[in-house]
Short mmCIF file of all heavy atoms in Angstrom, two decimals:
data_model
loop_
_atom_site.label_atom_id
_atom_site.label_comp_id
_atom_site.label_asym_id
_atom_site.label_seq_id
_atom_site.Cartn_x
_atom_site.Cartn_y
_atom_site.Cartn_z
N THR A 67 5.72 -4.17 13.64
CA THR A 67 7.12 -4.01 13.24
C THR A 67 7.28 -3.31 11.89
O THR A 67 8.40 -3.15 11.41
CB THR A 67 7.82 -5.39 13.18
OG1 THR A 67 7.18 -6.21 12.19
CG2 THR A 67 7.79 -6.08 14.53
N MET A 68 6.19 -2.87 11.27
CA MET A 68 6.29 -2.21 9.97
C MET A 68 7.07 -0.91 10.03
O MET A 68 7.76 -0.55 9.08
CB MET A 68 4.92 -1.97 9.36
CG MET A 68 4.41 -3.14 8.60
SD MET A 68 2.93 -2.72 7.65
CE MET A 68 2.48 -4.34 7.09
N GLY A 69 7.01 -0.20 11.13
CA GLY A 69 7.76 1.04 11.27
C GLY A 69 9.26 0.79 11.11
O GLY A 69 9.95 1.55 10.43
N GLU A 70 9.76 -0.27 11.72
CA GLU A 70 11.17 -0.63 11.59
C GLU A 70 11.50 -1.00 10.15
O GLU A 70 12.56 -0.64 9.63
CB GLU A 70 11.51 -1.80 12.51
CG GLU A 70 11.36 -1.48 13.99
CD GLU A 70 11.37 -2.73 14.85
OE1 GLU A 70 11.87 -3.79 14.41
OE2 GLU A 70 10.86 -2.65 15.98
N ALA A 71 10.61 -1.73 9.50
CA ALA A 71 10.83 -2.12 8.10
C ALA A 71 10.87 -0.88 7.20
O ALA A 71 11.70 -0.78 6.30
CB ALA A 71 9.74 -3.08 7.64
N VAL A 72 9.99 0.05 7.46
CA VAL A 72 9.96 1.29 6.68
C VAL A 72 11.26 2.08 6.88
O VAL A 72 11.84 2.60 5.93
CB VAL A 72 8.73 2.14 7.04
CG1 VAL A 72 8.83 3.54 6.47
CG2 VAL A 72 7.46 1.46 6.56
N ASP A 73 11.74 2.14 8.13
CA ASP A 73 13.00 2.83 8.39
C ASP A 73 14.16 2.19 7.62
O ASP A 73 14.97 2.89 7.01
CB ASP A 73 13.32 2.82 9.89
CG ASP A 73 12.42 3.74 10.69
OD1 ASP A 73 11.77 4.63 10.09
OD2 ASP A 73 12.36 3.57 11.92
N ARG A 74 14.23 0.87 7.65
CA ARG A 74 15.31 0.18 6.92
C ARG A 74 15.19 0.42 5.42
O ARG A 74 16.18 0.69 4.74
CB ARG A 74 15.28 -1.31 7.24
CG ARG A 74 16.39 -2.05 6.54
CD ARG A 74 16.52 -3.47 6.99
NE ARG A 74 17.53 -4.12 6.15
CZ ARG A 74 17.73 -5.40 6.13
NH1 ARG A 74 17.06 -6.20 6.92
NH2 ARG A 74 18.63 -5.92 5.32
N PHE A 75 13.97 0.31 4.89
CA PHE A 75 13.73 0.56 3.47
C PHE A 75 14.15 1.98 3.09
O PHE A 75 14.83 2.20 2.08
CB PHE A 75 12.25 0.32 3.14
CG PHE A 75 11.88 0.66 1.73
CD1 PHE A 75 12.21 -0.20 0.69
CD2 PHE A 75 11.22 1.83 1.43
CE1 PHE A 75 11.87 0.10 -0.62
CE2 PHE A 75 10.88 2.15 0.13
CZ PHE A 75 11.21 1.28 -0.90
N THR A 76 13.77 2.95 3.89
CA THR A 76 14.09 4.34 3.61
C THR A 76 15.60 4.56 3.58
O THR A 76 16.12 5.24 2.69
CB THR A 76 13.43 5.26 4.67
OG1 THR A 76 12.02 5.06 4.62
CG2 THR A 76 13.74 6.72 4.40
N LYS A 77 16.31 3.98 4.54
CA LYS A 77 17.78 4.10 4.56
C LYS A 77 18.39 3.48 3.32
O LYS A 77 19.31 4.03 2.70
CB LYS A 77 18.34 3.44 5.82
CG LYS A 77 18.09 4.26 7.06
CD LYS A 77 18.57 3.53 8.30
CE LYS A 77 18.12 4.29 9.54
NZ LYS A 77 18.41 3.55 10.76
N GLU A 78 17.89 2.31 2.92
CA GLU A 78 18.42 1.63 1.73
C GLU A 78 18.14 2.42 0.46
O GLU A 78 19.01 2.54 -0.40
CB GLU A 78 17.86 0.22 1.59
CG GLU A 78 18.52 -0.79 2.46
CD GLU A 78 20.01 -0.97 2.15
OE1 GLU A 78 20.41 -0.87 0.97
OE2 GLU A 78 20.76 -1.21 3.09
N THR A 79 16.94 2.96 0.32
CA THR A 79 16.64 3.74 -0.89
C THR A 79 17.50 5.00 -0.94
O THR A 79 17.93 5.41 -2.01
CB THR A 79 15.15 4.10 -1.00
OG1 THR A 79 14.73 4.82 0.15
CG2 THR A 79 14.29 2.86 -1.20
N PHE A 80 17.78 5.59 0.22
CA PHE A 80 18.67 6.75 0.26
C PHE A 80 20.09 6.34 -0.12
O PHE A 80 20.73 6.99 -0.94
CB PHE A 80 18.66 7.41 1.64
CG PHE A 80 19.62 8.55 1.73
CD1 PHE A 80 19.35 9.77 1.14
CD2 PHE A 80 20.83 8.39 2.41
CE1 PHE A 80 20.25 10.81 1.20
CE2 PHE A 80 21.74 9.44 2.47
CZ PHE A 80 21.46 10.65 1.87
N ASN A 81 20.60 5.26 0.49
CA ASN A 81 21.96 4.80 0.21
C ASN A 81 22.16 4.46 -1.27
O ASN A 81 23.26 4.61 -1.79
CB ASN A 81 22.31 3.59 1.07
CG ASN A 81 22.48 3.95 2.53
OD1 ASN A 81 22.70 5.12 2.87
ND2 ASN A 81 22.35 2.97 3.40
N GLN A 82 21.10 3.99 -1.92
CA GLN A 82 21.20 3.62 -3.32
C GLN A 82 20.71 4.72 -4.27
O GLN A 82 20.56 4.50 -5.47
CB GLN A 82 20.42 2.32 -3.57
CG GLN A 82 21.03 1.14 -2.84
CD GLN A 82 20.36 -0.17 -3.19
OE1 GLN A 82 19.93 -0.38 -4.33
NE2 GLN A 82 20.28 -1.08 -2.22
N ASN A 83 20.44 5.90 -3.75
CA ASN A 83 20.01 7.06 -4.55
C ASN A 83 18.79 6.76 -5.41
O ASN A 83 18.69 7.26 -6.53
CB ASN A 83 21.16 7.56 -5.43
CG ASN A 83 22.29 8.13 -4.62
OD1 ASN A 83 22.07 8.83 -3.64
ND2 ASN A 83 23.51 7.78 -5.00
N VAL A 84 17.89 5.97 -4.90
CA VAL A 84 16.72 5.59 -5.69
C VAL A 84 15.89 6.81 -6.08
O VAL A 84 15.62 7.04 -7.26
CB VAL A 84 15.84 4.56 -4.94
CG1 VAL A 84 14.51 4.34 -5.65
CG2 VAL A 84 16.60 3.24 -4.79
N GLU A 85 15.49 7.59 -5.11
CA GLU A 85 14.61 8.72 -5.41
C GLU A 85 15.33 9.80 -6.22
O GLU A 85 14.73 10.46 -7.06
CB GLU A 85 14.03 9.32 -4.13
CG GLU A 85 12.88 10.24 -4.43
CD GLU A 85 12.10 10.64 -3.21
OE1 GLU A 85 12.20 9.97 -2.17
OE2 GLU A 85 11.36 11.63 -3.32
#
Side-chain angles (χ1 to χ4, degrees):
T67 62
M68 275 190 188
E70 296 166 21
V72 168
D73 288 343
R74 182 171 174 191
F75 175 77
T76 301
K77 287 176 188 173
E78 280 298 326
T79 57
F80 176 75
N81 290 340
Q82 295 186 35
N83 294 319
V84 170
E85 194 168 342

